[in-house]
């Protein structure tokens, strides 16, 4: 009895990694945008971490990852400014 190796489908091993990085870029953008309105203390750092990971993994959506990074930083800047203005650790519209 002769066993053969399974045929390769031609997919490369890096494809899921790039797709994950693209998802991280989009998620960082959405969380950064949402963080401007609510929970900026939590969503800002998450957006920054996801954007950095997406850029490090070589996402095809570099613009979206850079926007997510910028929005995550803006979340934290708004938090600091509002903390100085109101003397609290949160802000509301």
């Amino acid at each position: 009895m002769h066993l053969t190796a399974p045929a390769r489908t031609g997919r490369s091993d890096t494809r899921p990694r790039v797709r994950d990085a693209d998802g991280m870029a989009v998620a960082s953008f959405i969380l950064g945008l949402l963080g401007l309105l609510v929970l900026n203390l939590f969503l800002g750092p998450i957006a920054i971490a996801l954007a950095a990971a997406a850029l490090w993994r070589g996402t095809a959506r570099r613009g979206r990852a850079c926007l997510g990074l910028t929005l995550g930083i803006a979340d934290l800047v708004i938090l600091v400014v509002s903390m100085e203005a109101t003397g609290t650790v949160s802000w509301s519209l």
Side-chain angles (χ1 to χ4, degrees), residues 4-92:
T4 60
R8 293 194 169 221
T9 59
R11 293 185 349 185
S12 80
D13 295 332
T14 60
R15 189 154 200 87
R17 184 175 174 152
V18 171
R19 190 174 11 169
D20 290 344
D22 291 347
M24 285 183 203
V26 173
S28 71
F29 172 71
I30 292 170
L31 292 178
L33 195 58
L34 186 60
L36 291 174
L37 301 174
V38 295
L39 298 173
N40 50 358
L41 179 63
F42 299 108
L43 296 180
I46 293 171
I48 292 169
L50 284 173
L55 289 170
W56 183 72
R57 288 185 178 194
T59 182
R61 300 177 185 229
R62 288 188 55 83
R64 191 111 353 130
C66 290
L67 280 173
L69 183 64
T70 303
L71 288 170
I73 292 169
D75 291 346
L76 298 179
V77 168
I78 288 173
L79 177 65
V80 169
V81 168
S82 66
M83 283 174 38
E84 290 296 320
T86 63
T88 63
V89 183
S90 65
W91 69 281
S92 62

